[in-house]
Amino acid sequence: MPTPVYLDNNATTRCDAEVVEAMLPFFTEQFGNPSSMHAFGASVGGAVKAARASLMKLLGAEFDHEIIFTSGGTESDNMAILSALEAMPGRDEIITSAVEHPAVLSLCAHLEKTRDVKVHVIPVDGRGLLDIAAYRAALSEKTAVVSIMWANNETGTIFPVAELAELAKEVGALFHTDAVQAVGKIPLDLKSTKIDMLSLSGHKLHGPKGTGAFYVKRGTRFRSLLKGGHQERGRRAGTENTPGIVGLGKAAELALIHMEDEVTRVAALRDRLEKGILQRIPNCFVTGNPAERLPNTANIAFEYIEGEGILLLMNREGIAASSGSACTSGSLEPSHVLRAMNIPYTAAHGAIRFSFSRDNTDADVDRVLEVMPPIIEKLRALSPFWKGANEAPATFNPVYA
Ligand code: PLP
């Protein structure tokens, strides 16, 4: 069996060995509760403080109390929107985009059903870019919060969140960004923006699963979701997950060290994979915005076949990638992101996301380029749709048209 190739790093990353090593003492001798007054607590409290400082550095935050530790991206996204609705009385509208993660979209749908809240879902174009005119039109004195992601998890498309935040401020609304896929992959500097709140997740940046953080700019109105103890200055009750926090801090430190590699070498691997596939396989195209996107993500739509079939055959060859987001896999509906981009069903059904990390090598790309053409050919030979189309030019190619 050939060496496995892992290209599903937007779903989750391998926890770095240095992260694991940094965490271990906090399961054993450093077991104290950081809130305790005695020495056991104090040494752990110091480690939590150091982790907060390394997150501040990665995000370009100005004050340590702007970072709140959470259990991950989903909790932080929920925290932002629910806090804003409570903290902004008289405002009952939310603005979001059609391509957000379910952590935002399903919460918004739930709020619309169960509370007197109006949600504006802003559409995107064929490259996944936000309709700015529709965004401006939706903003009003009634907007409590805008929640728009920094980068899309399926296509890697980057949104101009700093500009979007400026526009939100003009009507006095709070601005939140789900930066789960952006943090650690591209440089961020929050202190130079008007972004009020940001979500991040540890397991997307070689940190431990079930860890994350919430950034809330100094002076931003905030209401805590969890009621209980005074941890995190009363903003997130519950004894801190100290091994997880220490691991997240280490992952943030390493992300800064590896950032240059991510935006150069990793991006070059991604580009070589895309070019190689487009050269070798007819009727496929890259989705998303080629100009502004994450360095690690390639989403390629193979026409007239099913993504599930492609993944299955890739898996037999030891190659892991994904179709749509891991959270929606299992459903035969094409991804809501590709549907929002108006990608035809014949192509959206066969879209595969290849997501790289610093662990990937040239040998990984070579292996995928060797294995993909026969897989696609085999599936197309079985596809009734392919027989009709038979190597006609790709019907839709928003990126390389
Ligand atoms: N937001 C985005 C854009 C994501 O990609 C994910 C994970 O897939 C999440 C939120 C949820 O993060 P977590 O798994 O830490 O809850």
Side-chain angles (χ1 to χ4, degrees), residues 10-12 71-77 99-104 149-154 178-182 199-204 209-212 325-327 353:
N10 284 9
T12 198
S71 65
T74 303
E75 180 185 333
S76 298
D77 286 345
V99 296
E100 297 299 312
H101 189 269
V104 168
M149 64 198 339
W150 201 305
N152 185 263
N153 44 309
E154 295 189 33
D178 173 342
V180 164
Q181 294 293 346
S199 304
L200 69 91
S201 171
H203 72 103
K204 309 285 185 181
K209 290 170 181 57
T211 66
S325 71
C327 314
R353 177 185 70 184

Side-chain angles (χ1 to χ4, degrees), residues 291-338:
E292 286 287 335
R293 60 177 173 151
L294 293 175
N296 80 319
T297 309
N299 189 307
I300 303 180
F302 299 93
E303 290 189 297
Y304 310 115
I305 43 179
E306 290 288 341
E308 264 68 18
I310 306 172
L311 288 180
L312 205 76
L313 295 190
M314 284 170 68
N315 189 43
R316 279 195 200 154
E317 299 290 338
I319 300 173
S322 81
S323 66
S325 71
C327 314
T328 50
S329 64
S331 103
L332 278 176
E333 275 294 294
S335 108
H336 72 283
V337 174
L338 300 181

Side-chain angles (χ1 to χ4, degrees), residues 5 134 243 366:
V5 175
D366 292 338

Side-chain angles (χ1 to χ4, degrees), residues 64-390:
D64 64 352
H65 63 259
E66 292 179 329
I67 310 290
I68 301 174
F69 290 110
T70 67
S71 65
T74 303
E75 180 185 333
S76 298
D77 286 345
N78 276 255
M79 199 178 235
I81 293 169
L82 294 171
S83 160
L85 285 178
E86 227 185 282
M88 303 289 276
R91 291 176 179 248
D92 54 7
E93 295 192 3
I94 303 171
I95 299 178
T96 188
S97 85
V99 296
E100 297 299 312
H101 189 269
V104 168
L105 281 182
S106 51
L107 171 66
C108 288
H110 172 75
L111 290 170
E112 206 164 33
K113 246 194 252 157
T114 56
R115 294 196 200 174
D116 208 8
V117 166
K118 182 173 166 59
V119 180
H120 299 264
V121 180
I122 309 299
V124 297
D125 68 10
R127 290 168 191 239
L129 296 174
L130 199 73
D131 180 339
I132 301 288
Y135 174 61
R136 280 179 182 274
L139 283 167
S140 80
E141 307 287 311
K142 290 193 229 144
T143 314
V145 63
V146 174
S147 183
I148 303 230
M149 64 198 339
W150 201 305
N152 185 263
N153 44 309
E154 295 189 33
T155 61
T157 296
I158 293 175
F159 288 105
V161 281
E163 285 98 282
L164 299 175
E166 301 259 349
L167 293 173
K169 293 287 106 183
E170 285 175 14
V171 297
L174 294 178
F175 189 90
H176 164 252
T177 183
D178 173 342
V180 164
Q181 294 293 346
V183 174
K185 292 178 187 148
I186 50 172
L188 311 182
D189 185 42
L190 289 173
K191 62 183 161 314
S192 64
T193 74
K194 292 194 170 152
I195 293 167
D196 298 299
M197 299 177 281
L198 172 145
S199 304
L200 69 91
S201 171
H203 72 103
K204 309 285 185 181
L205 56 140
H206 302 275
K209 290 170 181 57
T211 66
F214 183 68
Y215 161 88
V216 53
K217 199 184 261 314
R218 183 166 83 146
T220 302
R221 290 162 174 243
F222 181 81
R223 297 285 180 279
S224 62
L225 198 61
L226 300 178
K227 314 292 175 209
H230 59 269
Q231 291 88 353
E232 299 294 273
R233 292 171 171 248
R235 293 171 306 170
R236 204 271 188 175
T239 301
E240 297 85 344
N241 168 14
T242 48
I245 289 171
V246 168
L248 176 58
K250 189 67 185 175
E253 190 188 314
L254 294 174
L256 262 185
I257 294 169
H258 290 284
M259 186 73 76
E260 184 61 28
D261 178 59
E262 188 82 31
V263 298
T264 54
R265 190 188 64 87
V266 171
L269 289 179
R270 188 270 318 269
D271 292 348
R272 193 160 78 79
L273 178 90
E274 278 181 355
K275 279 207 186 82
I277 286 184
L278 295 181
Q279 277 165 1
R280 287 167 176 77
I281 301 176
N283 291 72
C284 62
F285 59 87
V286 176
T287 70
N289 178 23
E292 286 287 335
R293 60 177 173 151
L294 293 175
N296 80 319
T297 309
N299 189 307
I300 303 180
F302 299 93
E303 290 189 297
Y304 310 115
I305 43 179
E306 290 288 341
E308 264 68 18
I310 306 172
L311 288 180
L312 205 76
L313 295 190
M314 284 170 68
N315 189 43
R316 279 195 200 154
E317 299 290 338
I319 300 173
S322 81
S323 66
S325 71
C327 314
T328 50
S329 64
S331 103
L332 278 176
E333 275 294 294
S335 108
H336 72 283
V337 174
L338 300 181
R339 270 185 292 137
M341 289 161 67
N342 250 332
I343 300 215
Y345 269 59
T346 45
H349 268 295
I352 300 294
R353 177 185 70 184
F354 302 90
S355 48
F356 291 77
S357 81
R358 61 184 185 241
D359 291 341
N360 292 113
T361 63
D362 266 312
D364 295 340
V365 175
D366 292 338
R367 174 93 184 111
V368 178
L369 292 180
E370 176 199 323
V371 158
M372 287 307 284
I375 288 181
I376 303 298
E377 205 178 310
K378 189 171 173 180
L379 290 170
R380 281 183 175 159
L382 301 170
S383 158
F385 306 107
W386 174 247
K387 287 200 179 91
N390 205 8

